[in-house]
Amino acid sequence: MPDRPVFRFAPSPNGELHIGHALSALIGYQQARAAGGRFLLRLEDIDAARTRPEFVAGILEDLRWLGLDWEEPVLFQSTRMPAYRAAARQLETMGLLYPCFATRSEIEAAACAGDRDPDGAPLYPGLWKGRPQRHIDDALAAGRPCAWRIDMAAALRTAAVILRMRPLTFVELDAGGVPQIVEARPERWGDAVIVRKDVATSYHLSVVVDDAWQGVTHVTRGRDLYAATDLHRLLQVLFDLPEPVYQHHRLIVDSDGRKLSKSAHDTSLRSLRKAGVGADEVRRRLGVG
Ligand code: GLU
């Protein structure tokens, strides 16, 4: 571990921040301050089609309004594509990635009903796994776009060798800040997409590469990303990267008990601010600070 713990807040600039994001940012910031640690801001803007400059500006403005500051420069993931490409190549060299040309509807049609990944997407039914090279060459020659998927069974075998058969786990700080060892079950993601068709990376790959590159020791994020940590731990083991400590905080839900979405403007920090709600009031409502 480095001398000073490193915390980060990593929003995606494809919408306005809402009070759920404020909770993540405030918890991470407060913990960083309490631990004498560093607090970093990373904008996860790999999705060029959904990223907008006004969302980037809005995020910075909202966080300043909340009373947060962070180390400069802010890291923009769109500047890190060569690092993601290199990481994907490493997995490919290890024989753990394969190209998949299947469309969403082909996957939907071939998937077993009820077999879903933790995000609710159909579990990939292996359509392009183990295909002969000439099928791949034909698809490439026809200019069909492809994603790159992890061969989960092979990745788990490799990880087991690296871990000398110890279980794959992560450390989760519970609500009282006490570390708990949690067994990771990345297999529930099946052969997940590591390199998307439209972008030469994925959330999972970029987050793992950048948390390590930025020396992040503490990842504070919502419980909606709890299952993603299983896959992140697997990638960290395969890349031989250090293991951060995780804390997945409670989610803020709307009056119907649903997770807040970026389109729910009434809970965006910007609209709260416009309605005359102060940052202190937001912190009080969230019970932070
Ligand atoms: N960019 C992700 C989001 O806004 C969060 C990533 C993370 O904290 O690991 O949902």
Side-chain angles (χ1 to χ4, degrees):
M1 277 251 180
D3 300 342
R4 292 176 71 199
V6 181
F7 294 74
R8 50 68 160 182
F9 177 55
S12 306
N14 51 23
E16 291 177 1
L17 293 188
H18 56 59
I19 55 173
H21 295 107
L23 182 62
S24 269
L26 285 165
I27 294 177
Y29 183 79
Q30 233 180 28
Q31 291 178 339
R33 287 292 167 270
R38 300 167 55 200
F39 184 71
L40 311 180
L41 178 60
R42 181 170 76 225
L43 290 183
E44 304 211 317
D45 60 344
I46 57 171
D47 212 332
R50 294 174 65 209
T51 293
R52 297 226 298 263
E54 58 269 33
F55 291 140
V56 173
I59 287 172
L60 301 179
E61 195 180 326
D62 288 344
L63 294 176
R64 283 196 197 102
W65 172 75
L66 273 177
L68 308 192
D69 51 75
W70 49 87
E71 280 183 22
E72 297 288 347
V74 173
L75 181 66
F76 287 82
Q77 286 194 320
S78 53
T79 64
R80 297 268 301 143
M81 298 311 282
Y84 310 143
R85 275 197 209 97
R89 258 198 310 275
Q90 190 179 335
L91 287 180
E92 195 195 344
T93 307
M94 292 165 84
L96 302 180
L97 282 193
Y98 64 90
C100 166
F101 298 85
T103 61
R104 201 177 286 241
S105 49
E106 284 168 345
I107 294 170
E108 190 80 57
C112 298
D115 273 1
R116 303 264 147 183
D117 74 14
D119 279 348
L123 262 193
Y124 181 67
L127 296 170
W128 280 84
K129 188 170 180 169
R131 284 271 189 118
Q133 188 60 41
R134 68 190 154 79
H135 290 188
I136 295 169
D137 293 343
D138 288 350
L140 283 175
R144 290 173 63 185
C146 79
W148 289 79
R149 291 180 176 273
I150 192 162
D151 179 339
M152 183 55 74
L156 290 171
R157 282 195 300 274
T158 304
V161 172
I162 296 170
L163 291 168
R164 299 207 186 88
M165 306 312 276
R166 288 188 311 269
L168 180 68
T169 58
F170 63 91
V171 178
E172 170 78 10
L173 297 182
D174 67 16
V178 180
Q180 309 287 341
I181 307 286
V182 180
E183 187 146 349
R185 291 181 292 127
E187 59 279 8
R188 54 191 168 143
W189 289 97
D191 287 1
V193 170
I194 298 297
V195 177
R196 286 165 34 175
K197 271 184 186 169
D198 56 335
V199 187
T201 185
S202 61
Y203 158 61
H204 300 300
L205 183 66
S206 317
V207 87
V208 163
V209 168
D210 285 345
D211 279 339
W213 189 65
Q214 295 190 285
V216 170
T217 58
H218 289 72
V219 173
T220 306
R221 58 189 180 194
R223 283 200 70 87
D224 51 335
L225 290 169
Y226 191 76
T229 302
D230 293 5
L231 197 48
H232 300 175
R233 277 297 297 136
L234 175 64
L235 293 175
Q236 286 157 4
V237 167
L238 296 173
F239 289 133
D240 191 23
L241 296 175
E243 176 184 355
V245 170
Y246 289 89
Q247 183 168 28
H248 297 90
H249 59 73
R250 70 193 160 91
L251 294 181
I252 310 284
V253 290
D254 65 15
S255 48
D256 299 326
R258 280 190 304 255
K259 196 183 127 185
L260 299 183
S261 79
K262 289 196 170 163
S263 49
H265 291 296
D266 49 336
T267 55
S268 82
L269 296 181
R270 188 188 171 83
S271 42
L272 288 173
R273 194 164 69 229
K274 282 204 170 140
V277 179
D280 287 347
E281 172 62 12
V282 169
R283 280 200 293 269
R284 198 190 56 74
R285 281 191 203 171
L286 292 170
V288 189

